[in-house]
Amino acid sequence: MNSEIKHYGWLALVAALVATIPLMTSNDFYLRIVFLIGVNYIAASGLNVLVNYTGQKSLGHAGLFAVGAYAVALLTTRWGWNPWAAFAMAGVLAGLFGVVIALPALRVKGPALAMVTIGFGIVVEKVVSEWQDVFAGQQGIYGVVPLKLGDQMFASSHWVWFVLALCVVLHVMFRHLLAGRFGRAFMAVNTAEVAAESVGVSVYKFKVLAFVISAFTCGIAGALITQQNQYINSDFITFNLSVFFLLVVLFGGNSVYGPLLGAVVLTLLDSLLSRWPGVQHFTYGALLLFALYAMPNGLAGTLRSLARKYAPGLLATPQLPQDLPAWQLKSAAPLASTGAEGLLDGRGIYKAYGGVVPTNEVDICIKPGHVHSLIGPNGAGKTTLLNILSGIVVPERGSIQFAGQSIVGVSPNRIARMGLGRTFQNLRLFSDMTVLDNVKVGLHAHIQAGFFASLIGVGKARRAELAARDEALQILDRLHLRDKALHTAGSLPYGLQRRLELARALATHPRLLLLDEPAAGLNPQETQELIQVIARIRDLGITVLLIEHHMDLVMAVSDHVIVLDYGQKIAEGTPQQVQSNPRVIAAYLGSDDESEDEAMNGGKHA
């Protein structure tokens, strides 16, 4: 709470100082620069969510700026709209165009995504240049109605104060949003999409949402420029504008303060170099390369690193509650009566990749309250089967019932919300987030805070966030990670990272927990601790399906063992039954009798 008070105190002080600028000078050039800093911050604040938090690079936001600019121009000059209503509508229309871009663009990734957004920007630029009857091309649209106070049009000082107010509101709202449930989901999508899906975060939904947010703020920025100038033409809408917005975000850095730092530095630099367009464009390119390679965390990240090294007292350390009650699993709804024998029942599951068949007509039944182990030699198809059960891979045929519902073709995030959690063979932590925030991402589906409530950050959203913090600490305490809560996940030793991934999976409140080689890379002591952890998980009422090569662990924790070989189930039963099964000995452990081995192989592949 003290850090919150300190933050708002500094915010009020900075806002008050900026608000006095129009009182100290009437120079339109200086006031114009302050206005442009605010406009560029507004455009970059939303783009920051898309680029730095969600990891989606866009080079077409000049097109979204154009949507807002031309919307307010056409609405006020041709259809006689009230300038305030037109201003609001400009943001809404730009947001809708954000959806239009996002839906096709997000089917591709990386450089291909950037190319799609470039294409959108070029199309918009050509439309406003060539469609003279509507957009008037380079001649432009004159007489755009500016914002007014009563019958008085905004003067330069009013524009500064209005943009300042918008910047303060947006900063507060984005600070709440990005510090909570939505911010963590954006960062999870950026870091590890498959892991985000596995804890109930819809990757596609959050990418689209990030596009809409960035489009809305760019549209607002376009409307502000147009109404302040009372004019817009196609020369405003260039590829260089998209590059400038992206540069502000990348140069500012991955922080809620990044867009502000980038907007201040680059707007001032842009004003200084405006007389030399060639030098200006060269500088943009040089700074973009510098931001990408020499300063990957941007100006905000560099300042944060310096503060951590030389003035750690400036960085707020959250105060965490002590003596919380022990964590308990939420009670699950009773299973639907469908005739299925277990919590999860799969029949005839088949998946092929060309001539390779990692899952060949596998039947599997997972009974509630048991620890099931899935074993087999390398390449037997174990991880493929887990990926099918968790929705990451869709089988070509077969049925899978989980908790009485079919989950074939259901998205991984929906399956996770139904109560199926998992860990991964290769660690998929959100490595740049804290240990505490990793577990909070696991709680994502259980935090009852909507988008607009999270923007405001008080009331229900505030209570939900505090409850999530407390529950995440309870889970960490269960796995003896409480003292690491504020450490960065990627800085933990490997064994603790394994345990953290398990804590994140537990946070989803699973009915069934899939563990893919949880002992991989652990030393003997850590393996013994894992045996105890799995036993405690079962005691909580969670059913476990475990893939593991460590036979001592399998035999110690399992109630039921399933053996795969070449994608087929060759045996199942108690650990003792499987351990003495001749087919398992031949296929998994090997056989000393060569003729017996040949006989086993012949029977196996018949």
Side-chain angles (χ1 to χ4, degrees):
M1 186 60 69
N2 289 335
S3 63
E4 287 284 310
I5 295 172
K6 188 183 295 185
H7 169 263
Y8 286 116
W10 279 107
L11 179 62
L13 177 62
V14 171
L17 290 174
V18 175
T20 61
I21 293 175
L23 302 177
M24 294 187 295
T25 179
S26 58
N27 186 304
D28 282 341
F29 176 73
Y30 295 144
L31 295 181
R32 173 75 175 176
I33 290 177
V34 176
F35 171 77
L36 287 176
I37 289 173
V39 170
N40 290 332
Y41 167 75
I42 289 168
S45 63
L47 190 58
N48 183 44
V49 176
L50 180 70
V51 175
N52 281 330
Y53 278 81
T54 317
Q56 308 303 299
K57 301 297 185 284
S58 172
L59 283 165
H61 270 58
L64 296 166
F65 180 93
V67 171
Y70 279 95
V72 79
L74 294 173
L75 289 173
T76 57
T77 60
R78 300 192 184 179
W79 290 293
W81 277 48
N82 177 283
W84 288 99
F87 174 74
M89 182 55 70
V92 172
L93 290 174
L96 292 175
F97 269 84
V99 176
V100 171
I101 303 171
L103 292 178
L106 296 180
R107 298 185 184 279
V108 295
K109 297 180 181 179
L113 173 62
M115 293 303 293
V116 171
T117 59
I118 288 173
F120 170 77
I122 291 173
V123 168
V124 172
E125 183 180 349
K126 289 298 180 184
V127 167
V128 299
S129 299
E130 304 296 335
W131 198 353
Q132 301 273 339
D133 292 343
V134 177
F135 301 105
Q138 288 186 327
Q139 179 183 344
I141 301 173
Y142 291 86
V144 178
V145 181
L147 297 177
K148 301 178 180 180
L149 285 174
D151 293 329
Q152 181 184 2
M153 293 190 300
F154 272 17
S156 295
S157 57
H158 297 134
W159 283 111
V160 170
W161 289 327
F162 178 62
V163 166
L164 173 63
L166 280 180
C167 289
V168 170
V169 169
L170 281 175
H171 169 76
V172 171
M173 294 175 96
F174 279 126
R175 188 170 185 269
H176 288 314
L177 185 76
L178 297 175
R181 173 177 182 257
F182 284 81
R184 290 190 297 270
F186 288 133
M187 292 185 67
V189 169
N190 185 2
T191 307
E193 292 185 10
V194 173
E197 286 276 343
S198 76
V199 295
V201 175
S202 172
V203 168
Y204 197 75
K205 170 185 170 183
F206 275 88
K207 284 183 176 180
V208 171
L209 180 59
F211 258 101
V212 170
I213 291 171
S214 65
F216 176 82
T217 58
C218 264
I220 289 295
L224 285 168
I225 289 291
T226 303
Q227 288 187 296
Q228 202 261 358
N229 289 337
Q230 300 179 46
Y231 168 72
I232 186 70
N233 76 351
S234 59
D235 289 342
F236 284 80
I237 316 305
T238 65
F239 178 67
N240 289 335
L241 182 61
S242 292
V243 173
F244 180 78
F245 286 154
L246 182 62
L247 181 57
V248 169
V249 171
L250 293 177
F251 187 77
N254 185 359
S255 165
V256 72
Y257 302 102
L260 177 60
L261 294 172
V264 171
V265 172
L266 292 173
T267 304
L268 292 175
L269 186 63
D270 188 62
S271 299
L272 288 172
L273 299 176
S274 59
R275 295 182 181 180
W276 305 285
V279 176
Q280 191 179 44
H281 298 157
F282 171 79
T283 305
Y284 287 170
L287 280 176
L288 186 57
L289 290 174
F290 180 75
L292 288 172
Y293 295 105
M295 199 168 60
N297 294 319
L299 191 55
T302 301
L303 292 175
R304 188 165 53 242
S305 298
L306 291 173
R308 190 178 290 116
K309 186 175 181 179
Y310 298 108
L314 293 176
L315 300 175
T317 301
Q319 297 299 312
L320 303 178
Q322 303 294 327
D323 302 322
L324 295 168
W327 180 70
Q328 296 295 328
L329 186 72
K330 290 181 180 177
S331 58
L335 297 179
S337 179
T338 61
E341 296 180 14
L343 176 61
L344 183 142
D345 193 77
R347 301 292 175 187
I349 303 171
Y350 180 89
K351 179 65 182 179
Y353 297 98
V356 179
V357 185
T359 309
N360 192 355
E361 303 293 344
V362 172
D363 294 338
I364 184 169
C365 181
I366 305 299
K367 295 182 179 179
H370 287 191
V371 175
H372 299 256
S373 287
L374 186 63
I375 67 172
N378 289 330
K382 304 181 296 297
T383 295
T384 299
L385 181 57
L386 242 64
N387 288 339
I388 290 172
L389 298 180
S390 58
I392 295 172
V393 173
V394 179
E396 293 176 28
R397 61 175 179 261
S399 65
I400 307 171
Q401 296 279 327
F402 174 63
Q405 300 180 55
S406 174
I407 58 172
V408 175
V410 176
S411 65
N413 70 82
R414 285 184 57 199
I415 292 174
R417 288 168 180 265
M418 292 167 64
L420 193 151
R422 71 163 297 175
T423 64
F424 295 88
Q425 181 178 356
N426 299 316
L427 278 170
R428 294 178 186 262
L429 289 175
F430 310 125
S431 55
D432 293 331
M433 298 169 67
T434 65
V435 168
L436 183 63
D437 280 343
N438 266 264
V439 181
K440 284 183 184 178
V441 177
L443 289 165
H444 176 83
H446 302 280
I447 300 175
Q448 302 301 314
F451 177 74
F452 292 105
S454 297
L455 280 174
I456 298 170
V458 295
K460 182 180 179 180
R462 175 71 176 169
R463 292 191 297 272
E465 189 63 25
L466 292 175
R469 179 203 63 189
D470 291 351
E471 185 173 0
L473 289 171
Q474 290 172 313
I475 295 170
L476 289 173
D477 196 40
R478 276 272 185 181
L479 295 180
H480 307 297
L481 287 170
R482 167 65 188 258
D483 60 323
K484 308 294 184 183
L486 298 180
H487 291 219
T488 303
S491 69
L492 296 182
Y494 184 80
L496 295 185
Q497 289 189 36
R498 279 281 179 194
R499 205 183 302 172
L500 174 57
E501 191 177 43
L502 187 54
R504 187 185 65 193
L506 286 178
T508 65
H509 288 268
R511 303 175 72 166
L512 172 61
L513 182 59
L514 310 182
L515 305 179
D516 195 349
E517 298 196 30
L522 302 187
N523 61 41
Q525 180 182 347
E526 290 169 334
T527 301
Q528 288 301 313
E529 292 173 355
L530 178 62
I531 291 173
Q532 298 171 15
V533 168
I534 293 173
R536 291 200 299 269
I537 290 172
R538 177 182 56 194
D539 293 342
L540 286 170
I542 299 172
T543 306
V544 176
L545 174 60
L546 167 77
I547 289 179
E548 190 50 69
H549 286 293
H550 197 297
M551 287 299 104
D552 289 344
L553 186 150
V554 169
M555 298 304 162
V557 303
S558 302
D559 300 302
H560 188 83
V561 179
I562 303 164
V563 188
L564 292 184
D565 189 27
Y566 291 101
Q568 292 182 314
K569 183 171 71 175
I570 61 171
E572 67 176 315
T574 65
Q576 294 74 23
Q577 290 171 334
V578 167
Q579 204 169 19
S580 60
N581 188 298
R583 297 190 70 186
V584 176
I585 295 170
Y588 187 80
L589 303 176
S591 173
D592 294 330
D593 188 333
E594 185 174 332
S595 61
E596 180 185 347
D597 187 61
E598 290 177 1
M600 287 299 141
N601 285 334
K604 178 171 59 183
H605 299 296

